Amino acid sequence: MDLQRLVDSIDAMTCVISVEKKENGEAGEIRIVTGNAAYIASTERPIGNNEEIFSKKFTKNQLYTEYLERDLNFEMVLYESAINKKCLHSYVKPERFPVWMNLTFLPVAYEADENGKHLCYCLYVMEMDEKPDSKRMSNISGDIASAVLETCIKLSSARDIRDTASEVIEDIRNLCKADNCCIMTIDNIEKKCELFCESTREGSGLRPLTYYLKNFDFYGIATTWEATIAGSNCVIAKNEAEMQVIKERNPLWYESLMGANVKTITLFPLKSHEQLLGYIWAINFKAEDAIMIKETLELTTFVLGAELGNHLLLDRLKILSSKDMLTGVMNRNEMNNVVERFANEGNTKKSVGVIFADLNGLKTVNDEKGHTAGDNILKSAASVLLEVFSASEIFRAGGDEFTIIVESASDEDIKRNIEKIRAASDKFGVSFALGGCVAENSRDIRMALRKADEAMYADKRLFYETHGQTSRRYPR
């Protein structure tokens, strides 16, 4: 068969790839036999700014790894097309390229024996889009379309995305026939990972992800996955030989997988607007269904990434509206919400305690040492209060003023906590003027706020009568 004539008859970037079929049925060497002019140009001219991707002149019959880093997903699809004679399609955005790729794999009805190797062939056809094309993305089988559509419907109608995501992840685990499926978020600012949802087959013997998050530096492991994916759009290891590739690329992760009794794994990054939000994985899935799992998750992760991005954005906006970003405690807006809630609770015998804590000498620190020094004092002040109260009870009410609101507190509780603040203040090298009050009925919280404020100002007057307007309280 004239393979060169075959590829030259196609306008899109096209090459012929040979896959060696070993006696045991496994794949051996994979080579790019020949390509048309459009394909050769794509190998010799980098796409976007990826100068390091293709740096060689095209040579017929080279191992494909002469051009790209080894890609298990790519090899799996080539095997299915060339050896198992399947027509396959994929629409993906590999990490190594700044474009979406419309990929078609077509078996060639031709086999050859060369140098003692039995070779099977397939056509590899590529088209590229700068932005995702919904028509191409939806060009999938009915079964996959049904599974993805069900996911979309569940997520779009969700009142609580976490509850709905738990249903979705169980659906995905069942589809993959896996022991475990999980969505994990990753925060590169806080340097932490969090479980979003998880489904584990009963009797699998696998520990929940929370065990590893609690007992290991899981964030440190998660930061290695991008290199393990190695420019592809996912990792799929469906047998021991492919798990060895993970071992070569990421021995630390491999050891943790072996310790968790993982035999097969697929790992997809979840992204929204090119921002990494987390990962989804399936552990110990049915290897025979790897192609179907890959095609389903490629599209499902696109949907999940968009929904997760919206959810995390809303969470972020909620945090921004309720948290003081300098000190990490709640802000005045959230304090007003809490006060309003208590004031409108209706008849109740529940008490509420209030403490006002105003920093002494902060203005002098700002004047003498600058606002950076002042900001550091504010952070230390928050640390003092966090020694005594939870973050949800502490509010930065103003520039140097903090308010603490404690449910079901007694006068003795407030007095004892004020003394704890004074003791912790010495340790952190800050000084507070403090005043407290208890409202026996939480509806009277505004009265308690006023009296606590008056007591705090009496304490502040005493401080300045003793020390004057000074910053000597704070380290230089």
Side-chain angles (χ1 to χ4, degrees):
M1 177 178 286
D2 189 340
L3 298 176
Q4 185 64 55
R5 183 177 179 183
L6 176 63
V7 296
D8 286 342
S9 68
I10 301 172
D11 290 334
M13 293 175 281
T14 305
C15 67
V16 173
I17 295 181
S18 68
V19 181
E20 178 191 357
K21 182 180 180 181
K22 295 185 174 181
E23 290 184 3
N24 61 5
E26 293 182 358
E29 294 180 345
I30 298 176
R31 296 178 178 273
I32 303 176
V33 178
T34 190
N36 64 10
Y39 178 81
I40 292 172
S42 76
T43 67
E44 295 181 347
R45 291 199 304 268
I47 300 171
N49 296 318
N50 292 293
E51 299 287 345
E52 74 283 359
I53 301 260
F54 298 128
S55 57
K56 299 182 178 182
K57 288 291 184 181
F58 178 77
T59 303
K60 290 184 177 182
N61 221 37
Q62 284 272 26
L63 291 169
Y64 92 92
T65 49
E66 291 293 318
Y67 298 95
L68 295 173
E69 187 166 353
R70 187 178 181 190
D71 188 329
L72 296 178
N73 313 322
F74 187 54
E75 291 182 11
M76 176 178 66
V77 176
L78 292 173
Y79 178 92
E80 291 295 325
S81 182
I83 293 179
N84 291 337
K85 307 304 180 188
K86 294 181 180 179
C87 298
L88 300 171
H89 171 261
S90 185
Y91 190 65
V92 297
K93 184 183 181 301
E95 292 302 307
R96 66 173 69 94
F97 297 123
V99 293
W100 284 80
M101 305 190 76
N102 187 40
L103 309 177
T104 302
F105 302 83
L106 300 171
V108 174
Y110 169 71
E111 296 184 15
D113 291 297
E114 296 180 8
N115 301 318
K117 299 175 181 178
H118 185 73
L119 303 180
C120 302
Y121 298 85
C122 70
L123 282 175
Y124 173 43
V125 184
M126 291 190 299
E127 295 176 293
M128 298 182 186
D129 295 321
E130 290 185 5
K131 296 180 180 179
D133 186 326
S134 58
K135 291 182 179 179
R136 286 178 171 175
M137 196 173 290
S138 62
N139 185 20
I140 52 179
S141 71
D143 289 343
I144 293 174
S146 176
V148 176
L149 180 60
E150 185 175 356
T151 296
C152 293
I153 292 171
K154 285 184 176 180
L155 290 173
S156 64
S157 60
R159 292 186 177 181
D160 186 325
I161 189 172
R162 284 185 180 270
D163 287 345
T164 304
S166 295
E167 293 180 29
V168 168
I169 205 68
E170 185 169 2
D171 291 343
I172 293 173
R173 183 183 65 77
N174 288 330
L175 181 143
C176 297
K177 299 180 178 64
D179 283 348
N180 174 274
C181 277
C182 171
I183 294 176
M184 181 200 74
T185 60
I186 185 167
D187 187 333
N188 288 319
I189 297 175
E190 298 287 340
K191 299 190 183 305
K192 65 179 182 180
C193 301
E194 291 185 350
L195 173 66
F196 194 76
C197 60
E198 183 175 30
S199 174
T200 304
R201 181 181 62 80
E202 187 175 351
S204 68
L206 296 176
R207 293 181 185 270
L209 177 63
T210 49
Y211 169 82
Y212 298 97
L213 293 176
K214 181 179 180 181
N215 294 288
F216 298 91
D217 176 21
F218 209 83
Y219 175 80
I221 293 175
T223 56
T224 67
W225 291 343
E226 185 175 2
T228 307
I229 291 173
S232 186
N233 68 323
C234 66
V235 165
I236 298 180
K238 63 184 184 300
N239 53 45
E240 186 176 348
E242 291 174 0
M243 290 296 289
Q244 288 299 309
V245 177
I246 291 180
K247 182 179 181 180
E248 293 168 11
R249 292 181 181 175
N250 196 336
L252 176 66
W253 185 35
Y254 176 83
E255 289 302 321
S256 71
L257 292 174
M258 292 301 99
N261 198 32
V262 173
K263 301 294 189 297
T264 63
I265 186 167
T266 176
L267 176 78
F268 277 80
L270 290 170
K271 292 190 171 187
S272 178
H273 303 291
E274 300 304 312
Q275 180 183 1
L276 178 66
L277 306 175
Y279 291 89
I280 180 173
W281 71 56
I283 289 173
N284 296 344
F285 59 88
K286 187 178 180 182
E288 293 83 357
D289 293 340
I291 286 288
M292 181 273 294
I293 291 169
K294 175 181 180 292
E295 291 179 349
T296 304
L297 288 183
E298 279 174 347
L299 188 52
T300 302
T301 52
F302 184 81
V303 176
L304 280 171
E307 292 294 335
L308 186 59
N310 290 336
H311 170 75
L312 294 178
L313 175 60
L314 290 174
D315 266 6
R316 181 66 175 165
L317 292 174
K318 183 178 180 181
I319 290 171
L320 291 173
S321 70
S322 63
K323 187 176 262 191
D324 178 58
M325 303 314 293
L326 176 65
T327 63
V329 300
M330 299 296 103
N331 61 19
R332 188 178 185 89
N333 180 60
E334 186 64 12
M335 185 186 84
N336 291 338
N337 292 336
V338 171
V339 170
E340 194 71 21
R341 176 169 58 82
F342 277 120
N344 295 299
E345 264 190 325
N347 292 325
T348 176
K349 293 183 179 180
K350 180 172 61 179
S351 66
V352 61
V354 176
I355 297 174
F356 270 31
D358 194 286
L359 280 166
N360 292 319
L362 183 64
K363 181 179 183 303
T364 307
V365 172
N366 283 328
D367 292 343
E368 292 181 0
K369 303 177 184 179
H371 286 286
T372 299
D375 287 348
N376 289 334
I377 295 298
L378 286 165
K379 292 175 186 177
S380 295
S383 297
V384 169
L385 299 176
L386 287 166
E387 290 269 305
V388 185
F389 307 98
S390 70
S392 61
E393 296 173 321
I394 308 167
F395 306 86
R396 186 180 173 198
D400 57 2
E401 185 178 287
F402 294 83
T403 303
I404 299 97
I405 301 175
V406 185
E407 287 190 58
S408 304
S410 65
D411 287 325
E412 290 74 20
D413 292 333
I414 294 302
K415 289 175 183 177
R416 185 167 51 251
N417 284 332
I418 285 176
E419 292 309 310
K420 287 181 180 180
I421 295 171
R422 294 195 194 280
S425 297
D426 290 336
K427 183 171 71 172
F428 283 88
V430 300
S431 174
F432 282 111
L434 297 163
C437 183
V438 173
E440 295 302 327
N441 188 320
S442 59
R443 290 188 66 188
D444 298 325
I445 187 172
R446 289 194 174 93
M447 175 275 294
L449 287 165
R450 186 176 66 253
K451 290 188 175 181
D453 190 40
E454 291 170 357
M456 180 273 292
Y457 272 107
D459 192 46
K460 184 174 284 289
R461 281 194 299 271
L462 180 61
F463 173 85
Y464 286 127
E465 286 171 5
T466 305
H467 300 281
Q469 299 287 339
T470 178
S471 66
R472 285 178 295 176
R473 177 72 181 175
Y474 301 106
R476 294 187 180 274

